[in-house]
C-alpha cells in the first residue's frame, strides 16, 4: 500500500500545469527526433539537456522533459522503419521486417497505428514494473558496501557493450578512455592536480554535460557533413491510408503482447541487454512460436510489428529500474539521464527513494502521463510526424549545432567550454569512424570518481587487503555477472547482431524480387 500512496503523491507532483506542458513538449519533440533516422533517444536527450538547464528548470521539471523525450523517441523510431525501411535507431530495426511490407501493401496507416498501440502497451506495463520492482531492488541495494559498489560499477562497464556487441576490446578501450577523462582535475582526497597541464579551466575536471553534447550531438553533425547527405530528404512511396486498425488483431495477439512485454522489460532491467536485444528476442520468439507453418512473418504480418515495438518500449521502461534504484544505467540513454541527475546534485541509488521521494515518484507518475500523451499524439497526428522525414539535412543539422552551442554557452558562459565541446565532437566523430562505442566513454566520465572513491574506502576498511573485493556473496555474485556479461558477447554477440542484419537484408531482397516481378 505504501507504493500506491507514494505513487499518488507522485501524481500530485506531476499533475501541475508546468509539468504537464513539459511532458507534452517532450513527447512531441521526442517523437520527431525518433522519427529522424540516426538521431535516436540518446542523441535526442543529449541535444535538449543544455536547453533544460539554460531555462532554469528544477530537478523534477528537467527529468520530466527529458524522460518524455526518451519515451517519445522510442515511439518515433518506428515511423521511418515502416515508411522508409530505415530504422530510426537500432531497436527499431526489427520493426522494418513486417512494418515496411505492410506499408508497401497499402497498410502504412494500420502499421503505424498498430505499432503505436503496441508501444503504448509495452511502455505502460513496463512503467508498472518500475513501480513494483525498483523499491524492492532498493532494499537489496542498502546491503551494498564500498566493495559491492565498486563491483557494481565494474559490472556496468563490463556489460554496457550489450549482448549484441561484436567487439568487446573496443568497449573496454572506450571505458578506459572515459575513466581516464574522469581523472582530470584535482584529486578529491589529496587535492593534487591530475592531467590538468597547469590549465586553470581543468582544475574542476571535465563537465560531463559538455562531453555528452559533444560526443553525441556535435559528432552526429560531423557524421552528416562527412557523408554529404546535403539537401536530399528521405522520401517514401507508401501512402498512409486509414489509421484505425482492426482491433481483432490485438485480441488474437494477446499472447504476443504479454510475452513481448515481459521479454522487453527483462532485457531493459538486465545489465547490458537493452532495447535492441528486447526487440530482437521478442520478434524471434513470436516468429518461432507462431510462424512455423504459414511463414507470414517478414511479409507484412501485424504480429511482426507488435512484437518488436512492444519489446523495445518495454525495455526502455525496464532500463530505468537499475538507474533509479542502483545508480547504474541500463542503456545508453539512461546513462545520459544519469548525468542529468548528477548535474542536479541528486545521487541516484537506494537513498534517492528515501531522500528525494517527490522527484522519483513525480518522475514515475509523469511517465504514466507521457504514455497516454504519446498514444494520443501518435494516432491522429502521425501524418504530421511523417512530414519531419521531409526535412533536408542541410536545415536539420545546423539547428542541432545551434542548439548545442547556445545551450552550452548559456549554461556555463565560457568560450573554453564551447571549444571543449567541439573537441569532444571531433573525438566522438573519430571514435565512431573507428567503431568505438561512445556510451562506455560517457559512463567512465560519470562513474569514474565514484568508482575511485569506493575503491579507496574498501581498501581503507580492509587495511589494504584486496580480498575484500570478493569478501561477500553479494560481491562474488556481481563479479560473476560482470565476467559473464563481458565474455558472452565475445562468443554470441556477433552471431546475434549478424542475425538481426540478416533478417533485415532478407526482407529487403524479397521486396526487390517482388518489385521486379
Amino acid at each position: 500500500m505504501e507504493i500506491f500512496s507514494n505513487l499518488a503523491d507522485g501524481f500530485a507532483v506531476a499533475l501541475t500545469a508546468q509539468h504537464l506542458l513539459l511532458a507534452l513538449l517532450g513527447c512531441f519533440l521526442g517523437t520527431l527526433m525518433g522519427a529522424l533516422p540516426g538521431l535516436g533517444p540518446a542523441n535526442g536527450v543529449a541535444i535538449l539537456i543544455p536547453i533544460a538547464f539554460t531555462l532554469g528548470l528544477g530537478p523534477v521539471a528537467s527529468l520530466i522533459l527529458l524522460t518524455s523525450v526518451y519515451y517519445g523517441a522510442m515511439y518515433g523510431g518506428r515511423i521511418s522503419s515502416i515508411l522508409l525501411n530505415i530504422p530510426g535507431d537500432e531497436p527499431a530495426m526489427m520493426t522494418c521486417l513486417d512494418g515496411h511490407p505492410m506499408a508497401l501493401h497499402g497498410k502504412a496507416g494500420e502499421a503505424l497505428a498498430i505499432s503505436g498501440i503496441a508501444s503504448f502497451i509495452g511502455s505502460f506495463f513496463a512503467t508498472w514494473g518500475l513501480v513494483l520492482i525498483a523499491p524492492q531492488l532498493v532494499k537489496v541495494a542498502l546491503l551494498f558496501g564500498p566493495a559491492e559498489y565498486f563491483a557494481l560499477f565494474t559490472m556496468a562497464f563490463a556489460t554496457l557493450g550489450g549482448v549484441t556487441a561484436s567487439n568487446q576490446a573496443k568497449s573496454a578501450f572506450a571505458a578506459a578512455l572515459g575513466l581516464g577523462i574522469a581523472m582530470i582535475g584535482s584529486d578529491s582526497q589529496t587535492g593534487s592536480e591530475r592531467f590538468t597541464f597547469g590549465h586553470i579551466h581543468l582544475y574542476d575536471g571535465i563537465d560531463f554535460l559538455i562531453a555528452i553534447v559533444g560526443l553525441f550531438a556535435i559528432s552526429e553533425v560531423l557524421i552528416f557533413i562527412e557523408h554529404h547527405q546535403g539537401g536530399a530528404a528521405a522520401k517514401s512511396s507508401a501512402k498512409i491510408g486509414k489509421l484505425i486498425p482492426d482491433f481483432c488483431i490485438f485480441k488474437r495477439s494477446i499472447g504476443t503482447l504479454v510475452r513481448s512485454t515481459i521479454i522487453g522489460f527483462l532485457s531493459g532491467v538486465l545489465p547490458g541487454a537493452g532495447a535492441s536485444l528486447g526487440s530482437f528476442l521478442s520478434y524471434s520468439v513470436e516468429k518461432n512460436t507462431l510462424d512455423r507453418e504459414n511463414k507470414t512473418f517478414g511479409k507484412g504480418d501485424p504480429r511482426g510489428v507488435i512484437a518488436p515495438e512492444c519489446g523495445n518500449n518495454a525495455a526502455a521502461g525496464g532500463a530505468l529500474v537499475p538507474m533509479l534504484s542502483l545508480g547504474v544505467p541500463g542503456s545508453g540513454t539512461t546513462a545520459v539521464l544519469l548525468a542529468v541527475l548528477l548535474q542536479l546534485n541528486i545521487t541516484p541509488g537506494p537513498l534517492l527513494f528515501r531522500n528525494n521521494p517527490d522527484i522519483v515518484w513525480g518522475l514515475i507518475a509523469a511517465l504514466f502521463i507521457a504514455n497516454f500523451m504519446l498514444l494520443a499524439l501518435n494516432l491522429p497526428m502521425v501524418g504530421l510526424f511523417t512530414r519531419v522525414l521531409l526535412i533536408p539535412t542541410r536545415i536539420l543539422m545546423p539547428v542541432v549545432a545551434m542548439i548545442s552551442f547556445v545551450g552550452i554557452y548559456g549554461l556555463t558562459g565560457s568560450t573554453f567550454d564551447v571549444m571543449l565541446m567541439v573537441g569532444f565532437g571531433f573525438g566522438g566523430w573519430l571514435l565512431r569512424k573507428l567503431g568505438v562505442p561512445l556510451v562506455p566513454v560517457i559512463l567512465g566520465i560519470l562513474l569514474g570518481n565514484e568508482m575511485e572513491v569506493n575503491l579507496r574506502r574498501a581498501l581503507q576498511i580492509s587495511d589494504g587487503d584486496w580480498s575484500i573485493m570478493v569478501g561477500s556473496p553479494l560481491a562474488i555474485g556481481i563479479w560473476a555477472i560482470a565476467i559473464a556479461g563481458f565474455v558472452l558477447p565475445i562468443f554470441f554477440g556477433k552471431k546475434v547482431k549478424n542475425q538481426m542484419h540478416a533478417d533485415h537484408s532478407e526482407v529487403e531482397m524479397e521486396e526487390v524480387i517482388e518489385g521486379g516481378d
Side-chain angles (χ1 to χ4, degrees):
M1 290 300 293
E2 182 184 355
I3 289 176
F4 295 103
S5 175
N6 290 330
L7 186 58
D9 293 337
F11 274 104
V13 173
L15 289 171
T16 64
Q18 182 195 30
H19 293 161
L20 288 173
L21 182 61
L22 288 171
L24 182 61
L25 178 63
C27 291
F28 183 78
L29 293 176
T31 306
L32 292 181
M33 291 179 177
L36 290 166
L39 282 183
N43 281 325
V45 173
I47 290 167
L48 290 179
I49 285 177
I51 299 300
F53 284 106
T54 303
L55 293 174
L57 299 178
V60 178
S62 298
L63 288 172
I64 287 175
L65 173 64
L66 296 174
T67 50
S68 297
V69 171
Y70 176 28
Y71 267 32
M74 295 303 296
Y75 271 70
R78 77 197 202 287
I79 295 175
S80 57
S81 297
I82 292 171
L83 295 181
L84 304 174
N85 202 28
I86 302 172
D89 53 11
E90 190 175 43
M93 182 184 297
M94 306 308 293
T95 307
C96 295
L97 304 185
D98 283 277
H100 192 59
M102 285 185 71
L104 294 179
H105 295 153
K107 297 180 179 179
E110 286 185 65
L112 288 166
I114 288 170
S115 62
I117 295 170
S119 298
F120 168 79
I121 292 172
S123 294
F124 180 76
F125 286 103
T127 308
W128 272 114
L130 173 62
V131 169
L132 298 173
I133 292 178
Q136 306 308 316
L137 198 58
V138 164
K139 296 177 181 178
V140 177
L142 293 173
L143 303 174
F144 282 46
E148 287 77 15
Y149 267 112
F150 180 80
L152 186 68
F153 292 147
T154 304
M155 182 187 74
F157 287 110
T159 60
L160 199 61
V163 179
T164 58
S166 55
N167 194 322
Q168 289 294 78
K170 290 181 178 179
S171 296
F173 169 76
L177 179 62
L179 289 171
I181 295 172
M183 297 298 104
I184 295 174
S186 301
D187 187 291
S188 58
Q189 288 194 357
T190 65
S192 59
E193 298 173 19
R194 301 187 296 193
F195 308 115
T196 61
F197 306 103
H199 205 300
I200 192 171
H201 289 285
L202 296 177
Y203 284 3
D204 290 331
I206 301 293
D207 190 320
F208 32 72
L209 291 185
I210 295 170
I212 286 171
V213 176
L215 288 172
F216 283 104
I218 301 301
S219 70
E220 189 67 38
V221 174
L222 295 174
I223 290 290
F224 267 93
I225 292 173
E226 179 195 12
H227 290 166
H228 302 292
Q229 294 191 6
K235 293 183 180 180
S236 171
S237 59
K239 294 182 179 180
I240 299 298
K242 68 173 186 176
L243 288 172
I244 302 176
D246 184 355
F247 283 91
C248 291
I249 293 172
F250 292 99
K251 188 176 180 180
R252 295 193 300 266
S253 305
I254 290 176
T256 298
L257 290 166
V258 172
R259 287 187 293 268
S260 299
T261 299
I262 294 172
I263 291 170
F265 181 73
L266 292 177
S267 297
V269 173
L270 293 175
S276 297
L277 187 67
S279 175
F280 172 70
L281 288 180
S282 297
Y283 185 87
S284 298
V285 166
E286 296 311 304
K287 183 178 180 180
N288 294 327
T289 303
L290 305 174
D291 199 38
R292 292 178 179 176
E293 296 180 2
N294 297 329
K295 303 297 181 183
T296 58
F297 273 53
K299 299 178 181 178
D301 192 317
R303 295 170 298 180
V305 176
I306 291 172
E309 281 303 304
C310 193
N312 69 38
N313 282 273
L320 290 170
V321 174
M323 188 201 80
L324 293 174
S325 56
L326 300 176
V328 174
S331 67
T333 312
T334 51
V336 177
L337 291 172
L338 178 64
V340 177
L341 284 170
L342 295 174
Q343 185 70 19
L344 293 167
N345 294 320
I346 298 169
T347 303
L351 295 181
L352 177 63
F353 285 77
R354 180 186 300 174
N355 298 339
N356 304 99
D358 58 324
I359 292 175
V360 66
W361 289 107
L363 171 61
I364 292 172
L367 292 177
F368 280 110
I369 296 170
N371 269 318
F372 283 96
M373 287 181 173
L374 283 164
L375 183 64
L377 287 172
N378 275 266
L379 293 182
M381 297 181 63
V382 71
L384 174 62
F385 289 129
T386 57
R387 292 183 181 277
V388 75
L389 299 173
L390 303 177
I391 299 176
T393 52
R394 69 173 185 270
I395 296 174
L396 177 66
M397 287 300 110
V399 171
V400 171
M402 180 192 70
I403 292 173
S404 302
F405 278 87
V406 172
I408 289 297
Y409 186 77
L411 184 62
T412 66
S414 169
T415 54
F416 176 83
D417 289 338
V418 172
M419 297 307 296
L420 188 62
M421 177 190 70
V422 174
F424 272 106
F426 278 99
W429 170 78
L430 180 61
L431 291 175
R432 291 171 69 171
K433 290 283 291 179
L434 297 174
V436 177
L438 300 181
V439 173
V441 179
I442 292 297
L443 196 64
I445 298 172
L446 290 176
L447 300 182
N449 289 325
E450 281 295 314
M451 197 173 183
E452 180 185 11
V453 167
N454 280 284
L455 176 61
R456 282 176 167 174
R457 286 176 181 170
L459 293 176
Q460 286 171 354
I461 292 171
S462 67
D463 198 21
D465 185 359
W466 285 85
S467 64
I468 192 175
M469 295 301 165
V470 289
S472 70
L474 183 57
I476 293 172
I478 295 172
W479 282 112
I481 295 172
I483 293 170
F486 187 81
V487 172
L488 288 179
I490 296 175
F491 298 100
F492 301 108
K494 193 170 184 179
K495 182 178 179 181
V496 172
K497 201 160 190 175
N498 287 344
Q499 184 62 47
M500 291 172 66
H501 287 279
D503 288 343
H504 188 241
S505 300
E506 183 180 334
V507 172
E508 284 184 326
M509 183 62 67
E510 289 179 1
E511 290 169 3
V512 171
I513 293 172
E514 289 178 4
D517 294 340

